Amino acid sequence: MIVVMNHGVKDNQIEAVVSRLQNEGFNIHLSKGVERTIIGAVGDKTRLSCIAIEAMAGVEKVVPILHPYKLASREFKPERTVIRVHGLEIGGDQVQIMAGPCAVESREQLLETAHIVRNAGATILRGGAFKPRTSPYSFHGLEEDGLKILAEAREATGMPIVTEVMDTKSVELVAEYADILQIGARNMQNFFLLREVANTNKPVLLKRGPSATIEEWILAAEYIMAGGNRQVIFCERGIRTFETATRNTLDLSSVPLVKSLTHLPVIVDPSHGTGKWALVTPMSKGAIACGADGLMVEVHPRPAEALSDGPQSLTEENFTKLISEVETIAAALGRPLGRL
Amino acid sequence: MIVVMNHGVKDNQIEAVVSRLQNEGFNIHLSKGVERTIIGAVGDKTRLSCIAIEAMAGVEKVVPILHPYKLASREFKPERTVIRVHGLEIGGDQVQIMAGPCAVESREQLLETAHIVRNAGATILRGGAFKPRTSPYSFHGLEEDGLKILAEAREATGMPIVTEVMDTKSVELVAEYADILQIGARNMQNFFLLREVANTNKPVLLKRGPSATIEEWILAAEYIMAGGNRQVIFCERGIRTFETATRNTLDLSSVPLVKSLTHLPVIVDPSHGTGKWALVTPMSKGAIACGADGLMVEVHPRPAEALSDGPQSLTEENFTKLISEVETIAAALGRPLGRL
Amino acid sequence: MIVVMNHGVKDNQIEAVVSRLQNEGFNIHLSKGVERTIIGAVGDKTRLSCIAIEAMAGVEKVVPILHPYKLASREFKPERTVIRVHGLEIGGDQVQIMAGPCAVESREQLLETAHIVRNAGATILRGGAFKPRTSPYSFHGLEEDGLKILAEAREATGMPIVTEVMDTKSVELVAEYADILQIGARNMQNFFLLREVANTNKPVLLKRGPSATIEEWILAAEYIMAGGNRQVIFCERGIRTFETATRNTLDLSSVPLVKSLTHLPVIVDPSHGTGKWALVTPMSKGAIACGADGLMVEVHPRPAEALSDGPQSLTEENFTKLISEVETIAAALGRPLGRL
Amino acid sequence: MIVVMNHGVKDNQIEAVVSRLQNEGFNIHLSKGVERTIIGAVGDKTRLSCIAIEAMAGVEKVVPILHPYKLASREFKPERTVIRVHGLEIGGDQVQIMAGPCAVESREQLLETAHIVRNAGATILRGGAFKPRTSPYSFHGLEEDGLKILAEAREATGMPIVTEVMDTKSVELVAEYADILQIGARNMQNFFLLREVANTNKPVLLKRGPSATIEEWILAAEYIMAGGNRQVIFCERGIRTFETATRNTLDLSSVPLVKSLTHLPVIVDPSHGTGKWALVTPMSKGAIACGADGLMVEVHPRPAEALSDGPQSLTEENFTKLISEVETIAAALGRPLGRL
């Protein structure tokens, strides 16, 4: 940590900061320049967040030097983490395609979609039983009934299931049915929920919050890891910007960046990332080309009848085409699609 | 709702959309232009969020005409809502100053701060017993012990208490102690939590999410109101933008805008809104001048020792000055500060 | 400047950076920690922007310590700059109201508006002769004819004129007519234009770019000052964010912040800042309350007939009310409105 | 255009809007609902930007239905535009790689770099003779000397040249030397400059402004096309968001989106788009995979000695690797790299 003191700082102010830091166990390097005095502090980075140096008299700003996370970092664990689900590898060579409807709407709809995505080449079934919706008047999911339908589809197709958990009270319930627990974008900083999924032994798919920085996203993973669950999969799904032509701005640069900063897998959700079905296939190809370990794609047999996210859902025909085009890109990179 | 069809749309596509909307109970106005065919649909707006018209063949875009909220809107209830807490009015003529430390750190710290802000003129005591923190390694609050200390401070000063509730599991507990339940910015779209506080009879202070639009913010209030609790207080606390010189960008224009769209009170938190104590007083004055019904301000006897948010906390001296300057502005507008 | 070296950096990489910096005349403080080696460099900050230290082997990141501007900073000139125009003071105690139509549309429209704003209490007349418009098919201004009409209005009312200059080729022409040269938001980083207005002896009103950070805004002023013109007035007019309920997000916190970082005056344009006439008066009051030295407001006798920016223009009645309410706020702060 | 009237609008207000629109030559469809009256107006869209309907009494909002651009749209010209430069095709099957240093620093530096990129497989040489820089104290380019060096490099390598023009006064000069005129991101809405390059017969590479929406970007192209120059190449280079881990957020979804809305070529600049050399190759692959017609990449023989943008410049080794990896992706898509 570097503490930059104000122009015109007084000696006793410098001494107060130095002695405060020394009391907290930091080693100090003092550098007095003509325009600014700078204090370098070296020590346990996880304690830094507890000291309000910036509020001390004479301090202009505090500049952190180290990343504030540890367990998620590549420095802590240089080799890549590969997460295994029903024999599939996430974060290894294989590219996994997770697909299914936004929401489980009925037994028929889910089973039909599960067979469609299975036949097209998807390996993991997605579908929401609990749905976060901006309006209180929208469809909010079938809840436990939806989980049971998902389990039936797993029986029928052999596909493991990823589904969202929205509340600490239902973590145990969802974990009974799901193979991968999804933390939705709006819950990325729901810290009680992060701590609760940390207590399960299920892999966690952690969506990026719509206004989360890369660092905050990794810190959310650190919560789960510090709580004892090391199986975290990042999922880029777009951030909120001024652009309104797309639902979100899909930040594909987060894929190579997070893979360089952490050892964890990164997948991409181009459906929420764009909000427009016509952009889902090109952005899926872009995602794989820049290094994503997989995709999460919304598919619906009849998008116009979907109870949520119809405009970004692919039909069977379009999804089959997506898989074929993505496979070509993955093959060019020497990566196979996962197979059940 | 206006449905704009694609250039070159086919007649059967138009018919499909029309018949779908009619089946859902909408009245239809069809307008065929040279470049575009447009379908106007009039009916129950709360059902619109359930139909994926945008996913139907031939549809270019769907433009909503009405606001998607009802109970919160001024059209539904033109007269302003005034919320009463221990004899104080929020949303009436009085300007209420809520103040206190970011976090309850100890009995001594909280009681000392409570007396400071009470003497300076604040009417409502703030203080976090449960603290959402970006890092798992930061101080997370004293939890129930913190709530007990808050209750003791209420006894000692007569000030009602506003404190954050972060998780559905602790709503009942927090509601036992708090006079106003605070929903933090990161939880603005934690829909289970919104539904849970709707079941209490306590007023809810609803902070704006860092990337929430005005419409989403009002819809979050609509969740609480639709759940049976009509006592919602909006709290603007800054949004996330590209600017890094301040912690957030305090969007004061939301104050007059939300007051024109809804009948609910709006207060402002300039501490989180700027992240810099030196900006808190000027922005407090700006907030009151543009119509805010109150302020929420962080105060700490010794900001440099604060376990969180020290850099944005005011000392006793600065807070006393703030109250005096804010009172001058309020007086110029014909509004008195609230008094216990 | 602080150079943070990578974890695992090699000694020769450290030496290369140190020797490069020493060759450029910097004094070096080297600090080797367990996790990171840090190099502090002290020297002429204006040369830092020319060395690509970040591209050297072994460098993780470079953290600037000092602000990159000099002439605009309060450290360079602690006393406030007051700019005088026709006996009016901008940046002193007085609050100046600049008002007029978005665009000069005709002789009649401008003279009528000039008299309206003069009678209501404005001191400086605004009006665009050259108009930047997003669409090539919109009205682009009367150009030199518009300037002549502005000059006539100055004769008729005694109000000095502020008007936009958009292109280096017309700086000389506009400077013949204008009392204050306006640099529009989209041209804030048109560096050739900044250098050209630096060659005139007219005060420059520098609007903040829609995506400009505070630092970039001050650096744009530094361009003008480094070119020899020290009379720069900052004008906050809103930044582009994800919020669509307002045209821009008016960042009033920039007012006290820029006034603390520089010695130059800061005014606010609530018309562009909100895009909605109903928000102009509340935000004007907020702007003055948080310390602005003046306002720039769009007024049109018949907003619905305006060739640009009608929705954000005030009528005579609304503008008269604005002045009266702003005067009350200013008076509470001990500041008079300017008078011709 | 749809005009939504206020709840409680009066009949004479409706009539005033209708009659105003009819006078402007629009056909009107009136639809009176229980909650809102809606007026549909069909007519010449390019005139809409000139009428301030939103400012008329009783109007709640105006919703445009058609895109505000014409010449750039695919409806106007469904077949794709292919731009030819020295026998190379931009916007056809070929993928073109434009590469070179950020700035022309010296004859030696440019010629060395030109040979490097030529040998690696680039087809078009980039290099700035005029450099927009945030600080007045940075290197601003060699100006005409730089243009002469670029021309010499073209002689030596056979590569056509793309270089930035920053000011109307130098358009003629730059057009004498350049094969493609670049409009920089900060000048995307410098409308005088757009009109000036419209008067040349050189293709224009139009960078996206850091806060420009897709629609504004296309309207900037429309300026050039309406001025008579139909050869516009879009260049996505990242937008400004809250994320600070990258210099900009590269919005790759703009590639398929702009290609669906217009008939013009789209290329991507991953160097400015990320600001980090380590991300340039993955994002180049992503760009081509999602449909870009080419890349613009910064290369420097010794990035650490670059006078600008060193941290995002590739070395010879890295650039050669980029070309090879991009070629693999392009081949998988059935697209060849361009060849001189």
Side-chain angles (χ1 to χ4, degrees):
Chain A
M1 180 176 58
I2 301 290
V3 183
V4 182
M5 305 300 289
N6 280 326
H7 185 70
V9 65
K10 290 167 193 154
D11 280 350
N12 65 334
Q13 293 172 330
I14 297 172
E15 280 155 29
V17 172
V18 167
S19 110
R20 175 85 185 276
L21 286 165
Q22 284 173 333
N23 289 345
E24 298 281 344
F26 289 89
N27 288 320
I28 298 303
H29 295 258
L30 189 65
S31 155
K32 294 194 184 190
V34 179
E35 300 205 55
R36 288 290 187 287
T37 290
I38 289 164
I39 302 167
V42 178
D44 179 2
K45 65 185 167 180
T46 62
R47 291 177 60 197
L48 280 177
S49 55
C50 307
I51 326 174
I53 295 297
E54 223 155 351
M56 294 186 74
V59 174
E60 180 172 311
K61 63 177 171 181
V62 173
V63 183
I65 295 302
L66 299 175
H67 294 300
Y69 43 83
K70 181 179 165 187
L71 304 174
S73 75
R74 285 195 72 183
E75 289 176 21
F76 178 75
K77 176 173 180 292
E79 65 280 9
R80 302 219 64 78
T81 289
V82 178
I83 294 171
R84 286 176 182 78
V85 180
H86 285 223
L88 299 167
E89 294 191 346
I90 302 168
D93 277 350
Q94 294 175 0
V95 166
Q96 304 297 348
I97 315 284
M98 310 181 183
C102 177
V104 181
E105 298 168 7
S106 70
R107 187 177 170 277
E108 293 64 34
Q109 170 251 16
L110 187 74
L111 287 172
E112 181 182 0
T113 314
H115 285 293
I116 286 173
V117 301
R118 173 75 164 95
N119 291 340
T123 47
I124 298 173
L125 180 64
R126 65 149 289 153
F130 295 90
K131 295 302 307 170
R133 301 300 298 275
T134 304
S135 164
Y137 308 118
S138 299
F139 174 66
H140 287 85
L142 299 179
E143 311 205 341
E144 187 165 2
D145 286 346
L147 295 173
K148 287 179 179 161
I149 295 169
L150 284 166
E152 186 182 344
R154 175 174 47 203
E155 285 302 304
T157 62
M159 302 172 87
I161 286 164
V162 54
T163 196
E164 179 165 355
V165 57
M166 284 180 63
D167 184 51
T168 51
K169 284 183 179 166
S170 47
V171 169
E172 203 178 339
L173 175 71
V174 178
E176 269 178 48
Y177 292 91
D179 301 290
I180 302 175
L181 294 172
Q182 177 179 321
I183 299 288
R186 293 186 188 89
N187 275 323
M188 192 203 84
Q189 292 191 312
N190 182 336
F191 303 116
F192 276 74
L193 186 59
L194 296 179
R195 281 192 283 237
E196 199 76 25
V197 298
N199 289 329
T200 73
N201 60 355
K202 296 292 170 84
V204 178
L205 186 142
L206 180 66
K207 288 209 162 184
R208 182 177 182 183
S211 63
T213 62
I214 300 274
E215 187 169 290
E216 290 167 343
W217 193 18
I218 299 176
L219 276 166
E222 186 86 3
Y223 260 91
I224 300 169
M225 299 176 89
N229 186 341
R230 303 286 168 102
Q231 302 182 82
V232 180
I233 303 157
F234 289 106
C235 180
E236 164 68 36
R237 46 75 74 199
I239 56 175
R240 178 158 275 184
T241 70
F242 62 82
E243 179 59 73
T244 55
T246 44
R247 183 173 176 181
N248 291 290
T249 296
L250 188 66
D251 178 13
L252 287 187
S253 67
S254 75
V255 175
L257 189 51
V258 171
K259 292 189 75 164
S260 73
L261 294 170
T262 81
H263 49 84
L264 297 163
V266 182
I267 72 162
V268 170
D269 172 352
S271 304
H272 287 88
T274 64
K276 289 175 181 282
W277 71 263
L279 300 179
V280 170
T281 296
M283 299 321 288
S284 294
K285 291 154 76 178
I288 299 306
C290 72
D293 295 307
L295 298 171
M296 176 172 250
V297 178
E298 291 188 349
V299 176
H300 197 286
R302 289 162 298 281
E305 293 174 16
L307 296 183
S308 64
D309 285 351
Q312 70 197 33
S313 295
L314 295 187
T315 58
E316 176 172 7
E317 182 186 348
N318 285 326
F319 181 64
T320 305
K321 192 160 160 290
L322 175 148
I323 293 258
S324 148
E325 298 191 18
V326 162
E327 189 162 22
T328 305
I329 298 286
L333 299 164
R335 300 183 75 171
L337 297 196
R339 293 282 171 226
L340 283 171
Chain B
M1 180 176 60
I2 302 292
V3 183
V4 183
M5 305 300 289
N6 279 328
H7 185 71
V9 64
K10 290 168 195 154
D11 279 352
N12 66 333
Q13 293 172 329
I14 296 172
E15 281 154 30
V17 172
V18 167
S19 110
R20 175 87 185 277
L21 286 166
Q22 285 173 332
N23 289 344
E24 298 280 343
F26 288 89
N27 289 319
I28 298 303
H29 294 258
L30 189 65
S31 155
K32 294 195 183 189
V34 179
E35 299 204 55
R36 289 289 188 288
T37 290
I38 289 164
I39 302 168
V42 178
D44 178 2
K45 65 183 168 182
T46 62
R47 292 177 59 196
L48 281 177
S49 55
C50 307
I51 325 175
I53 295 298
E54 223 155 351
M56 294 186 75
V59 175
E60 179 171 313
K61 63 176 170 181
V62 173
V63 183
I65 295 302
L66 299 174
H67 294 302
Y69 44 83
K70 180 180 166 189
L71 304 174
S73 74
R74 284 195 74 183
E75 290 176 20
F76 179 75
K77 176 172 179 293
E79 66 278 10
R80 300 219 66 79
T81 290
V82 178
I83 294 171
R84 287 175 181 79
V85 181
H86 285 222
L88 299 167
E89 293 191 346
I90 302 168
D93 277 351
Q94 294 176 0
V95 166
Q96 304 297 347
I97 315 284
M98 309 181 182
C102 177
V104 181
E105 297 167 7
S106 70
R107 187 175 169 279
E108 294 64 35
Q109 170 252 13
L110 187 74
L111 288 171
E112 182 182 0
T113 314
H115 286 293
I116 286 172
V117 300
R118 173 75 165 96
N119 291 339
T123 47
I124 298 173
L125 180 64
R126 66 148 289 154
F130 296 89
K131 295 301 307 169
R133 301 301 297 276
T134 304
S135 165
Y137 307 117
S138 300
F139 174 66
H140 286 85
L142 300 179
E143 311 204 341
E144 187 165 3
D145 286 345
L147 296 172
K148 288 178 179 161
I149 295 169
L150 283 165
E152 186 182 345
R154 175 174 48 202
E155 285 303 304
T157 63
M159 300 173 86
I161 286 163
V162 54
T163 196
E164 180 165 353
V165 57
M166 284 180 62
D167 184 51
T168 52
K169 283 182 179 165
S170 47
V171 168
E172 204 178 338
L173 176 70
V174 178
E176 269 177 48
Y177 292 92
D179 300 289
I180 303 174
L181 295 171
Q182 177 179 321
I183 300 289
R186 293 187 189 88
N187 275 321
M188 192 203 84
Q189 292 191 311
N190 182 336
F191 303 115
F192 276 74
L193 186 58
L194 297 179
R195 282 192 283 238
E196 199 77 24
V197 298
N199 289 329
T200 71
N201 60 354
K202 295 294 170 80
V204 178
L205 187 141
L206 179 67
K207 288 209 162 184
R208 182 177 181 183
S211 63
T213 62
I214 301 274
E215 187 169 291
E216 290 167 343
W217 193 18
I218 299 176
L219 276 167
E222 187 86 2
Y223 260 91
I224 300 169
M225 300 176 88
N229 185 342
R230 303 286 169 102
Q231 301 182 84
V232 180
I233 303 158
F234 290 105
C235 180
E236 164 68 35
R237 45 75 74 199
I239 55 175
R240 178 159 275 184
T241 71
F242 62 82
E243 179 60 72
T244 55
T246 45
R247 183 172 175 182
N248 291 290
T249 296
L250 188 66
D251 178 12
L252 287 187
S253 68
S254 75
V255 175
L257 189 52
V258 171
K259 291 189 77 164
S260 73
L261 294 169
T262 81
H263 50 84
L264 297 164
V266 182
I267 72 163
V268 170
D269 173 352
S271 304
H272 287 88
T274 64
K276 288 175 182 279
W277 70 264
L279 299 179
V280 171
T281 296
M283 298 321 288
S284 294
K285 292 154 75 178
I288 298 306
C290 72
D293 294 307
L295 298 171
M296 176 172 250
V297 178
E298 291 188 348
V299 176
H300 197 285
R302 290 163 296 281
E305 293 175 15
L307 296 184
S308 64
D309 285 351
Q312 69 197 37
S313 296
L314 296 186
T315 58
E316 175 172 8
E317 182 186 348
N318 285 326
F319 181 64
T320 304
K321 192 159 159 291
L322 175 148
I323 292 259
S324 149
E325 297 192 18
V326 163
E327 188 161 24
T328 305
I329 298 286
L333 299 164
R335 300 184 76 171
L337 297 196
R339 293 282 171 226
L340 283 171
Chain C
M1 180 177 57
I2 302 290
V3 182
V4 183
M5 305 301 290
N6 279 327
H7 185 72
V9 65
K10 290 167 195 154
D11 279 352
N12 65 334
Q13 294 172 329
I14 296 172
E15 280 154 30
V17 172
V18 166
S19 109
R20 175 86 185 277
L21 286 165
Q22 285 172 333
N23 289 344
E24 298 281 343
F26 289 89
N27 288 320
I28 298 304
H29 295 257
L30 189 65
S31 156
K32 295 194 183 189
V34 180
E35 299 203 56
R36 288 290 187 288
T37 290
I38 289 164
I39 302 168
V42 178
D44 178 2
K45 64 184 167 181
T46 62
R47 291 177 59 195
L48 281 176
S49 55
C50 307
I51 325 175
I53 295 297
E54 222 154 351
M56 293 186 75
V59 174
E60 180 172 311
K61 63 176 171 181
V62 173
V63 183
I65 296 302
L66 299 175
H67 294 302
Y69 44 83
K70 180 180 166 189
L71 303 175
S73 74
R74 284 195 74 183
E75 291 176 20
F76 178 75
K77 176 172 179 294
E79 66 279 9
R80 301 218 66 78
T81 290
V82 178
I83 293 171
R84 286 176 182 78
V85 180
H86 284 222
L88 300 167
E89 292 191 345
I90 303 169
D93 278 350
Q94 293 175 1
V95 166
Q96 304 297 348
I97 316 284
M98 309 181 183
C102 178
V104 181
E105 299 167 6
S106 69
R107 188 176 169 277
E108 292 65 36
Q109 169 252 13
L110 187 73
L111 288 171
E112 181 182 0
T113 313
H115 286 293
I116 286 173
V117 301
R118 172 76 164 96
N119 291 340
T123 47
I124 298 173
L125 180 65
R126 65 149 288 153
F130 295 90
K131 295 301 306 169
R133 300 300 297 276
T134 305
S135 164
Y137 308 116
S138 300
F139 173 66
H140 286 84
L142 299 180
E143 310 205 342
E144 187 165 4
D145 286 345
L147 296 172
K148 288 178 179 163
I149 295 170
L150 284 165
E152 186 181 345
R154 174 173 49 202
E155 286 302 304
T157 62
M159 302 174 85
I161 286 164
V162 54
T163 196
E164 179 164 355
V165 58
M166 283 179 64
D167 184 50
T168 51
K169 282 182 179 165
S170 47
V171 168
E172 203 178 337
L173 176 71
V174 178
E176 268 177 49
Y177 292 91
D179 300 289
I180 303 175
L181 294 171
Q182 177 178 321
I183 299 288
R186 294 188 189 87
N187 275 322
M188 192 203 84
Q189 292 191 312
N190 182 336
F191 302 116
F192 275 74
L193 186 59
L194 297 178
R195 282 193 282 238
E196 199 78 23
V197 298
N199 290 328
T200 71
N201 60 354
K202 295 292 170 82
V204 178
L205 188 143
L206 180 67
K207 289 210 162 184
R208 182 176 181 183
S211 64
T213 62
I214 300 275
E215 188 169 289
E216 290 167 343
W217 193 18
I218 299 176
L219 275 167
E222 187 85 3
Y223 259 91
I224 300 169
M225 300 176 88
N229 186 342
R230 303 285 168 103
Q231 301 183 81
V232 180
I233 303 158
F234 289 106
C235 179
E236 164 68 35
R237 46 74 75 198
I239 56 175
R240 178 159 274 185
T241 71
F242 62 82
E243 179 60 73
T244 55
T246 44
R247 183 173 175 182
N248 291 290
T249 296
L250 188 66
D251 178 13
L252 286 187
S253 68
S254 74
V255 175
L257 189 52
V258 172
K259 291 189 76 164
S260 74
L261 294 169
T262 81
H263 50 84
L264 297 163
V266 182
I267 71 162
V268 171
D269 172 353
S271 305
H272 287 88
T274 65
K276 290 174 181 278
W277 71 263
L279 300 179
V280 171
T281 296
M283 299 321 288
S284 293
K285 292 153 77 178
I288 298 306
C290 72
D293 294 307
L295 298 171
M296 176 172 250
V297 178
E298 290 188 349
V299 177
H300 197 286
R302 290 162 297 280
E305 294 175 16
L307 296 184
S308 65
D309 284 352
Q312 69 197 34
S313 295
L314 296 187
T315 58
E316 176 171 9
E317 182 186 348
N318 285 325
F319 181 64
T320 305
K321 192 160 158 290
L322 176 148
I323 293 258
S324 149
E325 298 192 19
V326 162
E327 188 161 25
T328 305
I329 298 287
L333 299 164
R335 300 184 77 172
L337 297 196
R339 292 282 171 227
L340 283 172
Chain D
M1 181 177 56
I2 301 291
V3 183
V4 183
M5 305 300 289
N6 279 327
H7 186 71
V9 65
K10 290 167 194 154
D11 279 352
N12 65 334
Q13 293 173 330
I14 296 171
E15 281 155 29
V17 172
V18 167
S19 109
R20 175 85 185 278
L21 285 165
Q22 285 173 333
N23 289 344
E24 298 280 345
F26 289 89
N27 288 320
I28 298 305
H29 294 258
L30 189 64
S31 155
K32 294 193 182 189
V34 180
E35 299 204 55
R36 287 289 187 289
T37 290
I38 289 164
I39 302 168
V42 178
D44 178 2
K45 64 184 168 180
T46 62
R47 292 176 61 196
L48 280 177
S49 55
C50 307
I51 325 176
I53 295 296
E54 222 154 351
M56 294 187 75
V59 174
E60 181 172 311
K61 63 177 170 182
V62 173
V63 183
I65 295 303
L66 299 175
H67 294 301
Y69 43 83
K70 182 180 165 189
L71 304 174
S73 75
R74 284 195 74 183
E75 291 175 20
F76 178 76
K77 175 172 181 292
E79 66 279 9
R80 301 219 64 78
T81 290
V82 178
I83 293 171
R84 286 175 182 79
V85 180
H86 284 222
L88 300 167
E89 293 191 345
I90 302 169
D93 278 349
Q94 295 175 358
V95 166
Q96 304 297 346
I97 315 285
M98 309 181 183
C102 178
V104 181
E105 299 167 6
S106 69
R107 188 175 169 277
E108 293 64 36
Q109 169 251 17
L110 187 74
L111 287 171
E112 181 181 0
T113 314
H115 286 292
I116 286 173
V117 301
R118 173 75 165 97
N119 291 339
T123 47
I124 298 173
L125 180 64
R126 64 149 289 153
F130 296 90
K131 296 301 306 170
R133 301 301 296 277
T134 304
S135 164
Y137 308 117
S138 299
F139 174 67
H140 286 85
L142 300 179
E143 310 205 342
E144 188 166 1
D145 287 345
L147 296 172
K148 287 178 180 162
I149 295 169
L150 284 165
E152 185 182 343
R154 176 173 47 202
E155 284 302 303
T157 63
M159 301 173 86
I161 287 163
V162 54
T163 196
E164 179 165 355
V165 58
M166 284 179 64
D167 184 51
T168 51
K169 283 183 179 165
S170 47
V171 169
E172 204 178 336
L173 175 71
V174 177
E176 267 177 49
Y177 292 93
D179 300 290
I180 303 175
L181 294 172
Q182 176 179 323
I183 299 288
R186 294 187 188 89
N187 275 321
M188 192 203 84
Q189 292 192 312
N190 182 336
F191 302 116
F192 276 74
L193 186 59
L194 297 179
R195 281 193 283 237
E196 198 78 24
V197 297
N199 290 328
T200 72
N201 61 354
K202 295 292 169 82
V204 177
L205 187 143
L206 179 66
K207 289 209 161 184
R208 182 176 182 184
S211 64
T213 62
I214 300 276
E215 187 169 290
E216 289 167 343
W217 193 18
I218 299 176
L219 275 167
E222 186 86 3
Y223 259 91
I224 299 169
M225 300 176 87
N229 186 342
R230 303 285 169 102
Q231 302 182 81
V232 180
I233 303 158
F234 289 106
C235 179
E236 164 68 35
R237 46 75 75 198
I239 56 174
R240 178 159 274 185
T241 70
F242 61 81
E243 179 60 73
T244 55
T246 44
R247 183 174 175 181
N248 291 290
T249 295
L250 188 66
D251 178 13
L252 286 187
S253 67
S254 74
V255 175
L257 189 52
V258 171
K259 291 189 76 164
S260 74
L261 294 170
T262 80
H263 50 83
L264 297 164
V266 182
I267 72 162
V268 170
D269 172 352
S271 305
H272 287 87
T274 64
K276 289 174 181 279
W277 70 263
L279 299 179
V280 171
T281 296
M283 299 321 288
S284 294
K285 291 154 75 178
I288 298 305
C290 72
D293 295 306
L295 298 171
M296 176 172 249
V297 178
E298 290 187 350
V299 176
H300 197 285
R302 290 162 298 280
E305 294 176 15
L307 296 184
S308 64
D309 285 351
Q312 69 198 32
S313 296
L314 295 187
T315 58
E316 176 171 6
E317 182 186 347
N318 285 325
F319 181 63
T320 304
K321 191 159 160 290
L322 175 147
I323 292 258
S324 148
E325 298 192 18
V326 162
E327 189 161 23
T328 306
I329 299 287
L333 299 163
R335 299 183 76 172
L337 297 195
R339 291 283 171 227
L340 284 171

